[in-house]
């Protein structure tokens, strides 16, 4: 069985969705949703994260039952990371670290290395966290010849310049930021094809995949035109974790097919289960292989039809 590893943060969040409502003390974090997005495809996922004594570890039981190995989630004496997650209409999201929680810096620095696991790992995802911590993940993956993907974290305390220059992506095969993160790093008028060319030259990225919320995701590669993968059509309940789940599904698709577009199809399917439910445990319970494959096939047909229409 394919085995992948996700490293990043686990959080305990208060989620506020404009015109919808609130969900208090929801377990979350980019690492959790990325792991769930990968596990939906029948791979074994190792989750590496650090939590405090206040984290309700039993809340991860449904995630573990869905194929996520949580034995490498480490407790420390510092509090867990708590966030306010604010979702506004128009795919606008903000997060605020709670004043009494631990910090990204503290938890990322406390995560133990996973070199002893590397021999059985085929893919690694560096979920949103400190740039220095992501660099350690990518360096470790490169040293062991492991395919790696990377998401971004944009906060006032983040070393954005390392993203801007492309140095932060060294060791990653694919960088998967949201369009909001891209604009925060490179500006609203960024030329995305030129940006990919720059990142490809500096860090060796194979592909840049920019998630667009309800509009889908754009895939930039050295060969061929930019291709937009639309989202799966489902009734949206809560978009929390959708981009992270996309990353997890994407990694499994990249390992299975070596095709970033096919990987993005899997990412879109993983996101579809997350947005149709509330919380990572509910999403992994709702996902099943038959439905996932059917959604991927339908999305693939839509892409082929769109390609035929452009040729006509």
């Amino acid at each position: 069985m394919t085995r992948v590893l996700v490293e990043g943060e686990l959080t305990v969040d208060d989620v506020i969705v404009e015109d919808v409502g609130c969900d208090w003390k929801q377990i979350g974090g980019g690492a959790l949703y990325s792991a769930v997005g990968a596990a939906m495809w029948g791979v074994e996922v190792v989750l590496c994260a650090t939590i405090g004594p206040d984290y309700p570890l039993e809340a991860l039981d449904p995630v573990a039952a869905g194929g996520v190995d949580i034995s490498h989630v480490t407790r420390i004496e510092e509090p867990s990371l708590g966030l306010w997650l604010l979702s506004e209409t128009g795919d606008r999201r903000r997060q605020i670290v709670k004043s009494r929680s631990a910090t990204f810096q503290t938890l990322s620095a406390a995560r133990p290395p996973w070199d002893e696991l590397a021999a059985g790992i085929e893919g690694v995802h560096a979920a949103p966290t400190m740039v220095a911590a992501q660099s350690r993940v990518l360096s470790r993956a490169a040293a062991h010849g492991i395919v790696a993907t990377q998401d971004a974290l944009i906060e006032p305390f983040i070393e954005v310049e390392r993203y801007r220059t492309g140095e932060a992506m060294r060791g990653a095969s694919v960088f998967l930021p949201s369009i909001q993160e891209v604009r925060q790093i490179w500006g609203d008028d960024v030329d995305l094809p030129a940006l990919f060319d720059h990142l490809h030259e500096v860090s060796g990225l194979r592909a840049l995949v920019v998630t667009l919320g309800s509009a889908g995701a754009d895939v930039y590669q050295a060969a061929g035109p930019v291709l937009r993968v639309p989202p799966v059509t489902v009734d949206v309940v809560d978009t929390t974790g959708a981009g992270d789940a996309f990353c997890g599904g994407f990694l499994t698709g990249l390992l299975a097919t070596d095709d970033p577009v096919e990987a993005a199809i899997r990412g879109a399917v993983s996101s579809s289960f997350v947005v149709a439910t509330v919380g990572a445990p509910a999403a992994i319970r709702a996902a099943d292989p038959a439905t996932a494959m059917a959604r991927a096939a339908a999305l693939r047909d839509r892409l082929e039809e769109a390609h035929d229409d452009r040729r006509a």
Side-chain angles (χ1 to χ4, degrees):
M1 177 183 291
T2 301
R3 198 170 190 226
V4 303
L5 183 145
V6 174
E7 182 176 323
E9 311 302 344
L10 296 181
T11 61
V12 181
D13 306 326
D14 289 333
V15 182
I16 301 173
V17 181
E18 185 177 12
D19 298 328
V20 175
C22 308
D23 188 16
W24 308 117
K25 299 296 182 287
Q26 182 184 124
I27 60 168
L32 176 61
Y33 280 101
S34 298
V36 165
M40 292 177 183
W41 295 97
V43 304
E44 182 182 348
V45 184
V46 178
L47 177 58
C48 291
T50 309
I51 58 174
D54 55 329
Y55 190 91
L57 193 59
E58 66 280 358
L60 293 178
D61 287 347
V63 177
V68 178
D69 178 359
I70 62 172
S71 64
H72 295 274
V73 175
T74 306
R75 282 198 191 272
I76 62 173
E77 294 183 0
E78 296 288 334
S80 296
L81 182 60
L83 303 175
W84 294 99
L85 297 182
L86 311 176
S87 295
E88 302 176 83
T89 54
D91 291 326
R92 296 289 297 179
R93 295 177 57 80
R94 288 181 289 167
Q95 68 179 27
I96 301 170
V97 178
K98 293 184 177 181
S99 59
R100 289 179 290 180
S101 83
T103 64
F104 281 92
Q105 294 95 322
T106 299
L107 294 176
S108 64
R111 277 194 296 277
W114 41 263
D115 295 83
E116 75 282 359
L117 300 172
I121 299 296
E122 296 180 42
V124 169
H125 178 60
T129 188
M130 303 298 295
V131 176
Q134 288 190 321
S135 294
R136 289 194 296 270
V137 172
L138 297 177
S139 296
R140 191 171 291 129
H144 293 284
I146 299 171
V147 174
T149 56
Q150 179 187 17
D151 199 353
L153 176 66
I154 306 302
E155 294 290 343
F157 51 82
I158 292 295
E159 306 163 76
V160 175
E161 187 60 25
R162 292 187 62 193
Y163 283 128
R164 187 173 291 123
T165 62
E167 293 179 10
M169 297 78 159
R170 293 187 188 277
S173 293
V174 183
F175 184 48
L176 299 125
S178 69
I179 187 60
Q180 182 177 345
E181 290 161 345
V182 168
R183 289 169 177 163
Q184 287 176 291
I185 299 171
W186 290 283
D188 291 341
D189 58 349
V190 59
D191 181 332
L192 284 166
L195 174 62
F196 168 68
D197 290 342
H198 167 71
L199 296 178
H200 174 68
E201 180 179 352
V202 170
S203 63
L205 277 185
R206 177 180 173 187
L208 170 67
V209 179
V210 180
T211 56
L212 308 168
S214 58
D218 284 343
V219 180
Y220 297 82
Q221 302 183 75
V226 179
L227 196 149
R228 176 162 297 183
V229 176
V232 176
T233 302
V234 294
D235 292 331
V236 177
V237 177
D238 182 3
T239 59
T240 302
D244 299 301
F246 180 99
C247 293
F250 183 96
L251 178 58
T252 71
L254 190 64
L255 294 173
T257 69
D258 199 38
D259 180 356
V261 174
E262 182 64 30
I265 290 173
R266 287 203 186 191
V269 171
S270 291
S271 291
S272 72
F273 289 107
V274 168
V275 300
T277 55
V278 177
I284 203 165
R285 282 194 294 260
D288 69 89
T291 302
M293 294 301 292
R295 290 181 179 181
L299 196 52
R300 201 173 294 114
D301 288 343
R302 288 171 61 187
L303 284 172
E304 291 176 358
E305 290 172 3
H307 179 70
D308 290 343
D309 289 344
R310 286 194 298 270
R311 292 180 62 184

